[in-house]
Amino acid sequence: MHPLPEPQAVTAPLSSAALILVGTVPQDEAAHATVREFCADLAGLVRAVGFREPSAALTCVLGFGAEVWPRLFAAPAPAGLHPFVPLHGVHDAPATPGDVLFHIRAERSDLCFALATQILAALGPALRPEWEVQGFRFFDNRDLLGFVDGTENPTGPAVPAAALVAEGEHAGGSYAIVQKYLHDLDAWNGLDTAAQERIIGRRKLDNTEIAEAELPSSAHRLLTTVTDDDGEELQIVRDNMPFGSPAAGEFGTLFLGYAADPAVTETMLRNMFLGDPPGDYDRILDFSRAVTGGLFFAPAASALEDLAESAPAPAPAAAPEAQAPSGLAIGSLRSPRTG
């Protein structure tokens, strides 16, 4: 097997700060050209901003949605790239507008902020921001519900195996599913610790698993464990971040899952929102509401530079409309001559 092309910073370690920006691209050729050219410029921009504090490990992953891919690139779209599929159960997972994803990470929030500012300045009207989240690490990698988040992430060689496409034209790339969740902390904190633990499937203090026999089938840990036909667990790489505004009463989690196959993440979400078995949905959704949803593909770093030169062929010009004859002829309303 050939070595994978160098990926973008999909498999980078968890960071102390992150900024996630999702935007749409106007349907005009000038905007398409600007975004396409930016693919080759992003790495240099990250280096320029990050050089001021190399130890902060500034990175940025750029991904594209299914609808914008053929407008931007001549290269065939990745096989698993499609619009985010909304889910409708007791609670909904909506699909929201998004052509482009920027996932910026660093050990300092000011670098994330500076890079996002430079990205928007470089793209100008070619990118219309749809939503943004500035995330932070909360204590010992906990979410704002008080539980450690991302415990089931793979480690070592299992990380690229879970996150990166292994072969084919899009090897080294990764599928990213992104959702913004808002928490009802008053209602959540109204539960006692034991009730919270049964919903999550872990002990709150020490993060240890609760035995499956002691849990309801709707426990979050059980519904988000996905296996193949041989019983082997299928993994994704989560890079979730808490975010919020105490003054605005907004508290949430940004879910971002990288996967070699988006079907793994989609199965987890179906289990959560629709239930496994159907109807037995994840009770965490009674307290945590999804307000965005998008699916993107982040090409390998080398492929990203190649895509800058991969403009699709221009659409063929429309054929001119046939001109109507200037006078009336056969079949006209003129009466036939007589005499």
Side-chain angles (χ1 to χ4, degrees):
M1 180 181 293
H2 297 292
L4 285 178
E6 180 183 358
Q8 294 189 68
V10 167
T11 59
L14 299 177
S15 59
S16 297
L19 191 152
I20 294 86
L21 174 65
V22 172
T24 52
V25 180
Q27 296 199 36
D28 67 74
E29 289 305 317
H32 297 163
T34 298
V35 174
R36 198 162 41 244
E37 292 165 5
F38 184 79
C39 291
D41 298 337
L42 176 60
L45 191 57
V46 173
R47 287 193 299 270
V49 175
F51 185 75
R52 286 172 281 182
E53 188 56 71
S55 63
L58 178 67
T59 63
C60 180
V61 174
L62 170 57
F64 300 96
E67 294 179 357
V68 81
W69 186 283
R71 290 197 275 125
L72 293 176
F73 309 123
L81 184 60
H82 56 264
F84 181 86
V85 179
L87 300 169
H88 304 291
V90 174
H91 302 285
D92 294 339
T96 51
D99 291 329
V100 181
L101 164 71
F102 291 97
H103 179 203
I104 304 170
R105 286 179 280 187
E107 292 305 307
R108 287 175 37 173
S109 59
D110 57 342
L111 289 178
C112 297
F113 178 87
L115 180 57
T117 302
Q118 293 295 326
I119 288 170
L120 289 173
L123 290 173
L127 184 72
R128 296 171 179 162
E130 294 290 338
W131 59 273
E132 169 197 344
V133 164
Q134 296 189 43
F136 53 86
R137 285 289 158 214
F138 188 60
F139 294 121
D140 48 340
N141 288 327
R142 293 180 185 266
D143 56 29
L144 297 186
L145 302 178
F147 284 79
V148 176
D149 198 4
T151 303
E152 292 302 317
N153 265 1
T155 58
V159 175
L164 303 178
V165 176
E167 56 188 16
E169 181 178 1
H170 296 289
S174 184
Y175 295 92
I177 287 182
V178 187
Q179 293 175 294
K180 176 182 176 180
Y181 287 84
L182 296 178
H183 306 319
D184 183 347
L185 284 191
D186 288 340
W188 177 255
N189 291 331
L191 300 177
D192 61 35
T193 299
Q196 293 178 355
E197 291 175 340
R198 284 171 56 79
I199 290 173
I200 299 298
R202 290 183 176 275
R203 301 296 178 195
K204 192 170 187 178
L205 179 61
D206 61 14
N207 193 40
T208 56
E209 292 184 356
I210 300 173
E212 185 172 344
E214 300 176 27
L215 293 174
S217 57
S218 61
H220 178 74
R221 178 174 67 82
L222 302 182
L223 290 175
T224 55
T225 299
V226 177
T227 58
D228 62 17
D229 293 339
D230 297 323
E232 293 293 322
E233 184 174 350
L234 301 174
Q235 295 182 304
I236 65 172
V237 174
R238 299 169 178 83
D239 204 321
N240 301 349
M241 293 292 277
F243 68 90
S245 169
E250 181 180 86
F251 307 94
T253 295
L254 189 286
F255 167 77
L256 198 162
Y258 288 112
D261 181 354
V264 179
T265 316
E266 290 175 311
T267 299
M268 294 178 181
L269 294 179
R270 281 197 302 272
N271 289 351
M272 288 177 60
F273 283 86
L274 305 182
D276 182 23
D280 200 14
Y281 68 93
D282 190 337
R283 296 311 190 268
I284 199 174
L285 298 176
D286 292 340
F287 308 90
S288 187
R289 176 170 58 95
V291 295
T292 72
L295 169 62
F296 304 88
F297 184 76
S302 57
L304 195 61
E305 295 184 2
D306 294 340
L307 288 171
E309 306 296 330
S310 179
E321 294 185 7
Q323 296 293 318
S326 57
L328 294 173
I330 298 174
S332 74
L333 297 178
R334 178 179 296 170
S335 298
R337 293 182 178 179
T338 58

